[in-house]
Coordinates of all heavy atoms in Angstrom, one line a residue:
M162 N 27.6 -2.7 -99.6 CA 26.4 -3.2 -100.1 C 25.2 -2.5 -99.6 O 24.3 -2.1 -100.3 CB 26.3 -4.7 -99.8 CG 25.1 -5.4 -100.4 SD 25.2 -5.4 -102.2 CE 23.8 -6.3 -102.6
I163 N 25.2 -2.2 -98.3 CA 24.1 -1.5 -97.6 C 24.0 -0.1 -98.2 O 22.9 0.4 -98.5 CB 24.3 -1.5 -96.1 CG1 24.3 -2.9 -95.5 CG2 23.2 -0.6 -95.4 CD1 23.0 -3.6 -95.4
L164 N 25.1 0.5 -98.4 CA 25.2 1.9 -99.0 C 24.6 1.9 -100.4 O 23.8 2.8 -100.7 CB 26.6 2.4 -99.0 CG 26.7 3.8 -99.5 CD1 25.9 4.8 -98.6 CD2 28.2 4.2 -99.5
L165 N 24.9 0.9 -101.2 CA 24.3 0.8 -102.5 C 22.8 0.6 -102.5 O 22.1 1.3 -103.3 CB 25.0 -0.4 -103.3 CG 24.6 -0.6 -104.7 CD1 25.0 0.6 -105.5 CD2 25.2 -1.8 -105.3
I166 N 22.3 -0.2 -101.6 CA 20.9 -0.4 -101.5 C 20.2 0.9 -101.0 O 19.2 1.3 -101.6 CB 20.6 -1.6 -100.5 CG1 21.0 -2.9 -101.2 CG2 19.1 -1.6 -100.2 CD1 20.9 -4.1 -100.2
Y167 N 20.8 1.6 -100.1 CA 20.3 2.9 -99.6 C 20.2 3.9 -100.7 O 19.2 4.6 -100.9 CB 21.2 3.4 -98.4 CG 20.7 4.7 -97.9 CD1 19.6 4.8 -97.1 CD2 21.4 5.8 -98.1 CE1 19.2 6.0 -96.6 CE2 21.0 7.1 -97.6 CZ 19.9 7.1 -96.8 OH 19.5 8.3 -96.3
Q168 N 21.3 4.0 -101.5 CA 21.3 4.9 -102.6 C 20.2 4.6 -103.7 O 19.6 5.5 -104.3 CB 22.7 4.9 -103.3 CG 23.8 5.6 -102.4 CD 25.1 5.5 -103.0 OE1 25.4 4.6 -103.9 NE2 26.0 6.4 -102.6
L169 N 20.0 3.3 -103.9 CA 19.0 2.9 -104.9 C 17.6 3.2 -104.4 O 16.8 3.7 -105.1 CB 19.1 1.3 -105.1 CG 18.1 0.7 -106.0 CD1 18.3 1.3 -107.4 CD2 18.2 -0.8 -106.1
I170 N 17.4 3.1 -103.1 CA 16.1 3.4 -102.5 C 15.8 4.9 -102.6 O 14.8 5.4 -103.0 CB 15.9 2.9 -101.1 CG1 15.9 1.4 -101.0 CG2 14.7 3.5 -100.4 CD1 16.0 0.8 -99.7
I171 N 16.8 5.7 -102.3 CA 16.7 7.2 -102.4 C 16.5 7.6 -103.8 O 15.6 8.4 -104.1 CB 18.0 7.8 -101.8 CG1 18.1 7.6 -100.3 CG2 18.0 9.3 -102.1 CD1 17.0 8.2 -99.5
S172 N 17.1 7.0 -104.8 CA 17.0 7.3 -106.2 C 15.5 7.0 -106.6 O 14.9 7.8 -107.3 CB 17.9 6.5 -107.0 OG 19.3 6.9 -106.7
I173 N 15.0 5.9 -106.2 CA 13.6 5.5 -106.6 C 12.6 6.5 -106.0 O 11.7 6.9 -106.7 CB 13.3 4.0 -106.2 CG1 14.2 3.1 -107.0 CG2 11.8 3.7 -106.3 CD1 14.1 1.6 -106.5
V174 N 12.8 6.8 -104.7 CA 11.9 7.8 -104.1 C 12.0 9.1 -104.8 O 10.9 9.7 -105.1 CB 12.3 7.9 -102.6 CG1 11.5 9.1 -102.0 CG2 11.9 6.6 -101.8
C175 N 13.2 9.6 -105.1 CA 13.3 10.9 -105.8 C 12.6 10.8 -107.2 O 12.0 11.8 -107.6 CB 14.8 11.3 -105.9 SG 15.5 11.8 -104.4
L176 N 12.8 9.8 -107.9 CA 12.2 9.7 -109.2 C 10.7 9.6 -109.1 O 10.0 10.2 -109.9 CB 12.8 8.4 -110.0 CG 14.2 8.6 -110.5 CD1 14.7 7.2 -111.0 CD2 14.3 9.6 -111.5
T177 N 10.2 8.9 -108.1 CA 8.8 8.8 -107.9 C 8.2 10.2 -107.6 O 7.1 10.6 -108.2 CB 8.4 7.8 -106.8 OG1 9.0 6.6 -107.1 CG2 6.9 7.7 -106.6
L178 N 8.8 10.9 -106.7 CA 8.3 12.2 -106.4 C 8.4 13.2 -107.6 O 7.5 14.0 -107.8 CB 9.1 12.8 -105.2 CG 8.9 12.2 -103.8 CD1 9.9 12.8 -102.8 CD2 7.5 12.3 -103.4
H179 N 9.5 13.1 -108.3 CA 9.6 13.9 -109.5 C 8.5 13.6 -110.6 O 8.0 14.5 -111.2 CB 11.0 13.8 -110.1 CG 11.2 14.7 -111.3 ND1 11.3 16.1 -111.2 CD2 11.3 14.4 -112.6 CE1 11.4 16.6 -112.4 NE2 11.5 15.6 -113.3
S180 N 8.2 12.3 -110.7 CA 7.3 11.9 -111.7 C 5.8 12.4 -111.3 O 5.0 12.4 -112.2 CB 7.3 10.4 -112.0 OG 6.9 9.7 -110.8
Q181 N 5.6 12.6 -110.0 CA 4.3 13.0 -109.6 C 4.1 14.5 -109.8 O 2.9 15.0 -109.7 CB 4.0 12.6 -108.2 CG 3.9 11.1 -108.0 CD 3.8 10.7 -106.6 OE1 3.8 11.5 -105.7 NE2 3.7 9.4 -106.3
A182 N 5.1 15.3 -109.9 CA 5.0 16.7 -110.1 C 4.4 17.0 -111.4 O 4.6 16.3 -112.4 CB 6.4 17.4 -110.0
K183 N 3.6 18.0 -111.4 CA 2.9 18.4 -112.7 C 3.0 19.8 -113.0 O 3.5 20.6 -112.2 CB 1.4 18.0 -112.6 CG 0.7 18.7 -111.5 CD -0.7 18.2 -111.4 CE -1.4 18.9 -110.2 NZ -2.8 18.5 -110.0
R184 N 2.7 20.2 -114.2 CA 2.7 21.5 -114.7 C 1.2 22.1 -114.6 O 0.3 21.5 -115.2 CB 3.1 21.6 -116.1 CG 3.1 22.9 -116.8 CD 3.5 22.7 -118.3 NE 3.2 23.9 -119.0 CZ 4.1 24.7 -119.6 NH1 5.4 24.3 -119.6 NH2 3.8 25.7 -120.3
V185 N 1.1 23.1 -113.8 CA -0.2 23.7 -113.6 C -0.3 25.0 -114.4 O 0.5 25.9 -114.1 CB -0.5 24.0 -112.1 CG1 -1.8 24.7 -111.9 CG2 -0.4 22.7 -111.3
E186 N -1.1 25.1 -115.4 CA -1.2 26.3 -116.3 C -2.5 27.0 -116.0 O -3.6 26.3 -116.1 CB -1.0 25.9 -117.7 CG -0.9 27.1 -118.6 CD -0.4 26.8 -120.0 OE1 0.1 25.6 -120.2 OE2 -0.4 27.7 -120.9
V187 N -2.5 28.3 -115.7 CA -3.6 29.0 -115.4 C -3.7 30.3 -116.3 O -2.6 31.0 -116.4 CB -3.6 29.4 -113.9 CG1 -4.9 30.2 -113.6 CG2 -3.6 28.2 -113.0
D188 N -4.8 30.6 -116.8 CA -5.0 31.9 -117.6 C -5.8 32.8 -116.8 O -6.9 32.5 -116.3 CB -5.7 31.6 -118.9 CG -4.9 30.7 -119.8 OD1 -3.7 30.8 -119.9 OD2 -5.5 29.8 -120.5
W189 N -5.2 34.0 -116.6 CA -5.9 35.1 -115.8 C -6.1 36.3 -116.7 O -5.2 36.8 -117.4 CB -5.1 35.5 -114.6 CG -5.2 34.7 -113.4 CD1 -5.9 33.5 -113.3 CD2 -4.7 34.9 -112.1 NE1 -5.8 33.0 -112.0 CE2 -5.1 33.9 -111.3 CE3 -3.9 35.9 -111.6 CZ2 -4.7 33.8 -110.0 CZ3 -3.6 35.9 -110.3 CH2 -4.0 34.8 -109.5
N190 N -7.3 36.8 -116.8 CA -7.6 38.1 -117.4 C -7.9 39.1 -116.3 O -9.0 39.0 -115.7 CB -8.8 38.0 -118.4 CG -9.1 39.3 -119.1 OD1 -8.2 40.1 -119.3 ND2 -10.3 39.5 -119.4
I191 N -7.0 40.0 -116.1 CA -7.3 41.0 -115.0 C -8.1 42.1 -115.6 O -7.7 42.7 -116.6 CB -5.9 41.6 -114.5 CG1 -5.1 40.4 -113.9 CG2 -6.2 42.7 -113.4 CD1 -3.7 40.8 -113.5
E192 N -9.3 42.4 -115.0 CA -10.2 43.3 -115.6 C -11.0 44.1 -114.6 O -11.0 43.7 -113.4 CB -11.2 42.6 -116.5 CG -11.9 41.5 -115.8 CD -12.7 40.5 -116.7 OE1 -13.0 40.9 -117.8 OE2 -12.9 39.4 -116.2
Y193 N -11.6 45.2 -115.0 CA -12.5 45.9 -114.1 C -13.8 45.2 -114.0 O -14.3 44.7 -115.1 CB -12.7 47.4 -114.6 CG -11.5 48.2 -114.5 CD1 -10.8 48.7 -115.6 CD2 -10.9 48.6 -113.3 CE1 -9.7 49.5 -115.5 CE2 -9.8 49.4 -113.2 CZ -9.2 49.8 -114.3 OH -8.1 50.6 -114.2
L194 N -14.4 45.2 -112.9 CA -15.7 44.7 -112.6 C -16.6 45.7 -111.9 O -16.1 46.6 -111.2 CB -15.6 43.4 -111.7 CG -14.7 42.3 -112.1 CD1 -14.7 41.3 -111.0 CD2 -15.2 41.7 -113.4
Q195 N -17.9 45.6 -112.1 CA -18.8 46.4 -111.3 C -19.3 45.5 -110.2 O -20.0 44.5 -110.5 CB -20.0 46.9 -112.2 CG -19.5 47.9 -113.2 CD -19.0 49.2 -112.6 OE1 -19.6 49.7 -111.6 NE2 -18.0 49.7 -113.2
V196 N -19.1 45.9 -109.0 CA -19.5 45.0 -107.8 C -20.3 45.8 -106.9 O -20.2 47.0 -106.7 CB -18.2 44.4 -107.1 CG1 -17.4 43.6 -108.0 CG2 -17.4 45.5 -106.5
N197 N -21.2 45.1 -106.2 CA -22.1 45.6 -105.2 C -22.0 44.7 -104.0 O -22.8 43.9 -103.7 CB -23.5 45.7 -105.7 CG -24.4 46.4 -104.8 OD1 -24.1 46.6 -103.6 ND2 -25.6 46.8 -105.3
R198 N -20.9 44.9 -103.2 CA -20.6 44.0 -102.1 C -21.4 44.3 -100.8 O -21.7 43.5 -100.0 CB -19.1 44.1 -101.7 CG -18.2 43.9 -102.9 CD -17.5 42.7 -103.1 NE -16.9 42.1 -102.0 CZ -16.2 41.0 -102.1 NH1 -16.1 40.4 -103.3 NH2 -15.7 40.4 -101.1
D199 N -21.9 45.6 -100.7 CA -22.6 45.9 -99.5 C -24.1 46.1 -99.8 O -24.9 46.5 -98.9 CB -22.1 47.2 -98.9 CG -22.1 48.4 -99.8 OD1 -22.7 48.3 -100.9 OD2 -21.5 49.4 -99.5
E200 N -24.5 45.9 -101.0 CA -25.9 46.0 -101.4 C -26.5 47.4 -101.4 O -27.7 47.6 -101.4 CB -26.8 45.0 -100.6 CG -26.5 43.6 -100.8 CD -27.4 42.6 -100.0 OE1 -28.5 43.1 -99.6 OE2 -27.0 41.5 -99.9
Y201 N -25.6 48.4 -101.3 CA -26.0 49.8 -101.4 C -25.4 50.5 -102.6 O -26.2 51.2 -103.3 CB -25.5 50.5 -100.1 CG -26.2 50.1 -98.9 CD1 -25.5 49.3 -97.9 CD2 -27.5 50.4 -98.6 CE1 -26.2 48.9 -96.8 CE2 -28.2 50.0 -97.5 CZ -27.5 49.3 -96.5 OH -28.1 48.8 -95.4
Y202 N -24.1 50.3 -102.9 CA -23.5 51.0 -104.0 C -22.8 50.1 -104.9 O -22.1 49.1 -104.5 CB -22.5 52.1 -103.4 CG -23.1 53.1 -102.5 CD1 -23.0 53.0 -101.1 CD2 -23.9 54.1 -103.0 CE1 -23.6 53.9 -100.3 CE2 -24.5 55.1 -102.2 CZ -24.3 54.9 -100.8 OH -24.9 55.8 -100.0
T203 N -22.9 50.4 -106.2 CA -22.1 49.6 -107.2 C -20.8 50.4 -107.4 O -20.8 51.6 -107.6 CB -22.8 49.5 -108.5 OG1 -24.1 48.8 -108.2 CG2 -22.0 48.7 -109.5
R204 N -19.7 49.6 -107.3 CA -18.3 50.3 -107.4 C -17.5 49.5 -108.5 O -17.8 48.3 -108.8 CB -17.6 50.2 -106.1 CG -18.3 50.9 -105.0 CD -17.5 50.6 -103.7 NE -18.2 51.2 -102.6 CZ -19.2 50.7 -101.9 NH1 -19.7 49.6 -102.2 NH2 -19.7 51.4 -100.8
K205 N -16.5 50.2 -109.0 CA -15.6 49.6 -109.9 C -14.5 48.9 -109.1 O -14.0 49.5 -108.1 CB -15.0 50.6 -110.8 CG -14.0 50.0 -111.9 CD -13.6 51.0 -113.0 CE -12.6 52.0 -112.5 NZ -12.1 52.8 -113.6
A206 N -14.2 47.7 -109.4 CA -13.2 46.9 -108.7 C -12.4 46.1 -109.7 O -12.7 46.0 -110.9 CB -13.8 46.0 -107.7
V207 N -11.2 45.6 -109.2 CA -10.4 44.8 -110.1 C -10.6 43.3 -109.8 O -10.6 43.0 -108.6 CB -8.9 45.2 -109.9 CG1 -8.0 44.3 -110.7 CG2 -8.7 46.7 -110.3
G208 N -10.9 42.5 -110.8 CA -11.1 41.1 -110.6 C -10.3 40.3 -111.6 O -9.6 40.9 -112.5
V209 N -10.4 39.0 -111.5 CA -9.7 38.1 -112.4 C -10.8 37.2 -113.0 O -11.5 36.5 -112.2 CB -8.6 37.3 -111.7 CG1 -8.0 36.2 -112.6 CG2 -7.5 38.3 -111.3
N210 N -10.8 37.1 -114.3 CA -11.8 36.2 -115.0 C -13.2 36.5 -114.6 O -14.0 35.5 -114.4 CB -11.4 34.7 -114.8 CG -10.0 34.4 -115.4 OD1 -9.5 35.1 -116.2 ND2 -9.5 33.3 -115.0
G211 N -13.5 37.7 -114.3 CA -14.9 38.1 -113.9 C -15.2 37.7 -112.5 O -16.4 37.8 -112.1
Q212 N -14.2 37.4 -111.7 CA -14.5 37.0 -110.3 C -13.8 37.9 -109.3 O -12.7 38.4 -109.6 CB -13.9 35.6 -110.1 CG -14.6 34.5 -110.9 CD -14.0 33.2 -110.6 OE1 -13.8 32.8 -109.4 NE2 -13.9 32.4 -111.6
L213 N -14.4 38.1 -108.2 CA -13.8 38.8 -107.0 C -14.4 38.2 -105.8 O -15.6 38.2 -105.7 CB -14.2 40.3 -107.1 CG -13.5 41.2 -106.0 CD1 -12.0 41.3 -106.2 CD2 -14.1 42.6 -106.0
P214 N -13.6 37.6 -104.9 CA -12.2 37.6 -104.9 C -11.6 36.8 -106.0 O -12.3 36.0 -106.7 CB -11.8 37.0 -103.6 CG -13.0 36.2 -103.2 CD -14.2 36.9 -103.8
V215 N -10.3 36.9 -106.2 CA -9.6 36.2 -107.3 C -9.7 34.7 -107.0 O -9.6 34.2 -105.9 CB -8.1 36.7 -107.3 CG1 -7.3 35.9 -108.2 CG2 -8.0 38.2 -107.6
P216 N -9.9 33.9 -108.1 CA -9.9 32.5 -107.9 C -8.6 31.9 -107.4 O -7.5 32.4 -107.8 CB -10.3 31.9 -109.3 CG -9.9 33.0 -110.2 CD -10.0 34.3 -109.5
P217 N -8.6 31.0 -106.5 CA -7.4 30.4 -106.0 C -6.7 29.5 -107.0 O -7.4 29.0 -107.9 CB -7.8 29.6 -104.7 CG -9.3 29.2 -105.0 CD -9.8 30.4 -105.8
V218 N -5.4 29.3 -106.8 CA -4.6 28.4 -107.6 C -4.2 27.3 -106.7 O -3.5 27.6 -105.7 CB -3.4 29.1 -108.3 CG1 -2.6 28.1 -109.1 CG2 -3.9 30.2 -109.2
Y219 N -4.5 26.1 -107.0 CA -4.2 24.9 -106.2 C -3.0 24.2 -106.8 O -3.1 23.8 -108.0 CB -5.4 24.0 -106.0 CG -6.5 24.6 -105.2 CD1 -7.6 25.1 -105.8 CD2 -6.4 24.8 -103.8 CE1 -8.6 25.7 -105.2 CE2 -7.4 25.4 -103.1 CZ -8.5 25.8 -103.8 OH -9.6 26.4 -103.1
M220 N -2.0 24.0 -106.0 CA -0.8 23.3 -106.5 C -0.3 22.4 -105.3 O -0.7 22.5 -104.2 CB 0.3 24.2 -106.8 CG -0.1 25.2 -108.0 SD 1.2 26.4 -108.3 CE 2.6 25.4 -108.5
T221 N 0.6 21.5 -105.7 CA 1.3 20.6 -104.7 C 2.8 21.0 -104.8 O 3.3 21.4 -105.8 CB 1.1 19.2 -105.1 OG1 -0.3 18.9 -105.1 CG2 1.7 18.2 -104.1
A222 N 3.5 20.8 -103.7 CA 4.9 21.0 -103.6 C 5.6 20.3 -104.8 O 5.3 19.1 -105.0 CB 5.5 20.6 -102.3
G223 N 6.4 21.0 -105.5 CA 7.1 20.3 -106.6 C 6.5 20.6 -108.0 O 7.1 20.5 -109.0
D224 N 5.3 21.1 -108.0 CA 4.6 21.5 -109.2 C 5.2 22.7 -109.8 O 5.8 23.6 -109.1 CB 3.1 21.7 -109.0 CG 2.3 20.4 -108.7 OD1 2.9 19.3 -108.8 OD2 1.1 20.5 -108.4
T225 N 5.0 22.9 -111.1 CA 5.5 24.1 -111.8 C 4.2 24.9 -112.2 O 3.3 24.4 -112.8 CB 6.3 23.8 -113.1 OG1 7.4 23.0 -112.7 CG2 6.7 25.0 -113.8
L226 N 4.2 26.2 -111.8 CA 3.1 27.1 -112.2 C 3.4 27.9 -113.4 O 4.5 28.5 -113.4 CB 2.7 28.0 -111.0 CG 1.7 29.1 -111.3 CD1 0.4 28.4 -111.6 CD2 1.6 30.0 -110.2
V227 N 2.6 27.9 -114.4 CA 2.7 28.8 -115.5 C 1.4 29.6 -115.5 O 0.3 29.2 -115.6 CB 2.7 28.0 -116.9 CG1 2.7 28.9 -118.0 CG2 3.9 27.0 -116.9
L228 N 1.6 30.9 -115.1 CA 0.5 31.9 -115.0 C 0.5 32.8 -116.2 O 1.4 33.7 -116.3 CB 0.7 32.6 -113.7 CG -0.5 33.6 -113.3 CD1 -1.8 32.9 -113.2 CD2 -0.1 34.3 -112.0
N229 N -0.4 32.7 -117.1 CA -0.6 33.5 -118.2 C -1.5 34.7 -117.9 O -2.7 34.4 -117.6 CB -1.1 32.8 -119.4 CG -0.3 31.6 -119.8 OD1 0.9 31.7 -120.0 ND2 -0.9 30.4 -119.9
V230 N -1.0 35.9 -117.8 CA -1.8 37.0 -117.4 C -2.0 38.0 -118.5 O -1.1 38.4 -119.2 CB -1.0 37.8 -116.2 CG1 -1.8 39.0 -115.8 CG2 -0.8 36.8 -115.1
C231 N -3.3 38.4 -118.7 CA -3.6 39.4 -119.7 C -4.1 40.6 -118.9 O -5.2 40.5 -118.2 CB -4.7 38.9 -120.6 SG -5.3 40.2 -121.8
N232 N -3.5 41.7 -119.0 CA -3.9 42.9 -118.2 C -4.9 43.7 -119.1 O -4.5 44.4 -120.0 CB -2.7 43.8 -117.9 CG -3.0 45.1 -117.1 OD1 -4.2 45.2 -116.7 ND2 -2.1 46.0 -117.0
S233 N -6.1 43.6 -118.8 CA -7.2 44.4 -119.5 C -7.5 45.7 -118.9 O -8.5 46.4 -119.2 CB -8.4 43.5 -119.6 OG -8.2 42.4 -120.4
L234 N -6.7 46.1 -117.9 CA -6.9 47.4 -117.2 C -6.3 48.5 -118.1 O -5.6 48.2 -119.0 CB -6.2 47.4 -115.8 CG -6.6 46.3 -114.9 CD1 -5.8 46.4 -113.6 CD2 -8.1 46.3 -114.6
D235 N -6.7 49.7 -117.8 CA -6.2 50.9 -118.5 C -4.9 51.4 -117.8 O -4.6 52.6 -118.0 CB -7.2 51.9 -118.8 CG -7.9 52.4 -117.5 OD1 -7.4 52.0 -116.4 OD2 -8.8 53.2 -117.6
E236 N -4.3 50.6 -117.0 CA -3.1 51.1 -116.3 C -2.2 49.9 -116.0 O -2.7 48.7 -116.0 CB -3.4 51.8 -115.0 CG -4.3 50.9 -114.1 CD -4.8 51.7 -112.9 OE1 -4.0 52.4 -112.2 OE2 -6.0 51.6 -112.6
P237 N -0.9 50.1 -115.8 CA 0.0 48.9 -115.5 C -0.4 48.3 -114.2 O -1.0 49.0 -113.3 CB 1.4 49.6 -115.4 CG 1.3 50.9 -116.0 CD -0.2 51.3 -115.9
T238 N -0.2 47.0 -114.0 CA -0.5 46.3 -112.8 C 0.6 45.3 -112.4 O 1.4 45.0 -113.3 CB -1.9 45.7 -112.8 OG1 -2.2 45.2 -111.5 CG2 -1.9 44.5 -113.8
A239 N 0.6 44.8 -111.2 CA 1.5 43.8 -110.8 C 0.7 42.7 -110.1 O -0.4 42.9 -109.6 CB 2.5 44.4 -109.8
V240 N 1.3 41.5 -110.1 CA 0.6 40.3 -109.5 C 1.5 39.8 -108.4 O 2.8 39.7 -108.5 CB 0.5 39.2 -110.6 CG1 -0.1 37.9 -109.9 CG2 -0.4 39.6 -111.7
H241 N 0.9 39.6 -107.2 CA 1.7 39.0 -106.1 C 0.8 38.0 -105.4 O -0.4 38.0 -105.7 CB 2.2 40.1 -105.1 CG 1.1 40.7 -104.4 ND1 0.4 41.8 -104.8 CD2 0.6 40.5 -103.1 CE1 -0.5 42.2 -103.9 NE2 -0.4 41.4 -102.9
A242 N 1.3 37.2 -104.6 CA 0.6 36.1 -104.0 C 0.7 36.1 -102.4 O 1.6 36.6 -101.9 CB 1.1 34.8 -104.5
H243 N -0.4 35.6 -101.8 CA -0.4 35.4 -100.4 C -0.5 34.0 -100.1 O -1.1 33.2 -100.9 CB -1.6 36.2 -99.8 CG -1.5 37.6 -99.9 ND1 -1.0 38.5 -99.0 CD2 -1.9 38.4 -100.9 CE1 -1.1 39.7 -99.4 NE2 -1.6 39.7 -100.6
G244 N -0.1 33.5 -99.0 CA -0.3 32.1 -98.6 C 0.8 31.2 -99.0 O 0.7 30.0 -99.1
I245 N 2.0 31.8 -99.4 CA 3.1 31.0 -99.9 C 4.2 31.1 -98.8 O 4.6 32.2 -98.4 CB 3.7 31.5 -101.2 CG1 2.6 31.4 -102.3 CG2 4.9 30.7 -101.6 CD1 3.0 31.9 -103.6
F246 N 4.6 29.9 -98.3 CA 5.6 29.9 -97.2 C 7.0 29.9 -97.9 O 7.3 28.9 -98.6 CB 5.4 28.7 -96.3 CG 6.4 28.7 -95.2 CD1 6.4 29.7 -94.2 CD2 7.3 27.6 -95.1 CE1 7.4 29.6 -93.2 CE2 8.2 27.6 -94.1 CZ 8.2 28.6 -93.1
H247 N 7.8 30.9 -97.6 CA 9.2 30.9 -98.2 C 10.2 30.7 -97.0 O 10.6 31.6 -96.4 CB 9.4 32.3 -98.8 CG 8.6 32.6 -100.0 ND1 8.9 32.0 -101.2 CD2 7.5 33.3 -100.2 CE1 8.0 32.5 -102.1 NE2 7.2 33.3 -101.5
R248 N 10.5 29.5 -96.8 CA 11.5 29.2 -95.7 C 12.9 29.6 -96.2 O 13.5 29.1 -97.0 CB 11.5 27.7 -95.5 CG 12.5 27.3 -94.4 CD 12.5 25.8 -94.1 NE 11.1 25.4 -93.9 CZ 10.7 24.2 -93.5 NH1 11.6 23.3 -93.2 NH2 9.5 23.9 -93.4
G249 N 13.3 30.7 -95.5 CA 14.7 31.2 -95.8 C 14.8 31.9 -97.1 O 15.9 32.2 -97.5
E250 N 13.7 32.1 -97.8 CA 13.7 32.8 -99.1 C 12.6 33.8 -99.2 O 12.0 34.0 -100.2 CB 13.4 31.7 -100.2 CG 14.5 30.6 -100.3 CD 14.1 29.6 -101.4 OE1 13.0 29.7 -102.0 OE2 15.0 28.8 -101.7
N251 N 12.4 34.6 -98.1 CA 11.3 35.6 -98.1 C 11.5 36.7 -99.1 O 10.6 37.4 -99.4 CB 11.1 36.1 -96.7 CG 12.3 36.7 -96.1 OD1 13.4 36.4 -96.5 ND2 12.1 37.6 -95.2
Y252 N 12.7 36.8 -99.6 CA 12.9 37.8 -100.7 C 12.2 37.5 -102.0 O 12.0 38.3 -102.8 CB 14.4 38.0 -101.0 CG 15.1 36.7 -101.3 CD1 15.1 36.2 -102.6 CD2 15.8 36.0 -100.3 CE1 15.8 35.0 -102.9 CE2 16.4 34.8 -100.6 CZ 16.4 34.3 -101.9 OH 17.0 33.1 -102.2
N253 N 11.7 36.2 -102.1 CA 11.0 35.8 -103.3 C 9.5 36.3 -103.3 O 8.8 36.1 -104.3 CB 11.0 34.3 -103.5 CG 12.4 33.8 -104.0 OD1 13.0 34.5 -104.8 ND2 12.8 32.7 -103.6
D254 N 9.0 36.7 -102.1 CA 7.6 37.1 -102.1 C 7.3 38.5 -102.5 O 6.2 39.0 -102.5 CB 7.0 36.8 -100.7 CG 7.5 37.8 -99.6 OD1 8.4 38.7 -99.9 OD2 7.0 37.7 -98.5
G255 N 8.4 39.3 -102.9 CA 8.2 40.6 -103.4 C 8.2 41.7 -102.3 O 8.2 42.9 -102.6
A256 N 8.2 41.3 -101.0 CA 8.3 42.3 -100.0 C 9.7 42.9 -99.8 O 10.6 42.2 -100.0 CB 7.8 41.7 -98.7
G257 N 9.7 44.2 -99.5 CA 11.0 44.8 -99.3 C 11.7 44.3 -98.1 O 11.1 43.9 -97.1
M258 N 13.0 44.3 -98.1 CA 13.8 43.8 -97.0 C 14.1 44.9 -96.0 O 14.3 46.0 -96.3 CB 15.1 43.2 -97.5 CG 14.9 42.0 -98.4 SD 14.1 40.6 -97.6 CE 15.4 40.0 -96.6

């Protein structure tokens, strides 16, 4: 009986956590910008949605990220992220082993 109650509590907690997870959808347009960061020279830089630095994406553990990227540059590009902790899965961050 105790085991059944324990399993029921675990199931309710798991369902509650799963129901709180959400889908985070973000649209990024990667484009060239003219920036003057040092107030001396205007330079061409790469930004997202007209911003530099790139706008952050806020999520909670369990959320699903859908990142729609439009590359408006005149060359191929890649997207990678910083600030993501990969416990035992560092191969997912794109760094070479």
Side-chain angles (χ1 to χ4, degrees):
M162 181 68 174
I163 299 287
L164 183 60
L165 182 62
I166 292 173
Y167 180 72
Q168 288 175 340
L169 180 63
I170 290 171
I171 294 297
S172 297
I173 290 171
V174 168
C175 289
L176 287 173
T177 302
L178 291 175
H179 181 70
S180 67
Q181 292 175 358
K183 60 183 178 184
R184 177 185 166 117
V185 178
E186 188 163 351
V187 179
D188 295 321
W189 277 8
N190 180 31
I191 301 175
E192 58 193 335
Y193 290 116
L194 305 173
Q195 293 295 320
V196 298
N197 187 343
R198 310 253 318 179
D199 59 8
E200 298 182 14
Y201 292 108
Y202 301 103
T203 300
R204 297 172 181 87
K205 182 167 78 168
V207 175
V209 172
N210 298 342
Q212 298 180 40
L213 184 67
V215 174
V218 175
Y219 295 103
M220 298 175 54
T221 304
D224 289 351
T225 299
L226 173 63
V227 177
L228 184 59
N229 301 308
V230 178
C231 176
N232 180 13
S233 295
L234 305 178
D235 56 6
E236 57 188 312
T238 190
V240 175
H241 70 276
H243 296 266
I245 299 174
F246 182 64
H247 295 281
R248 181 179 308 189
E250 299 179 352
N251 57 335
Y252 53 84
N253 284 327
D254 72 356
M258 299 297 285

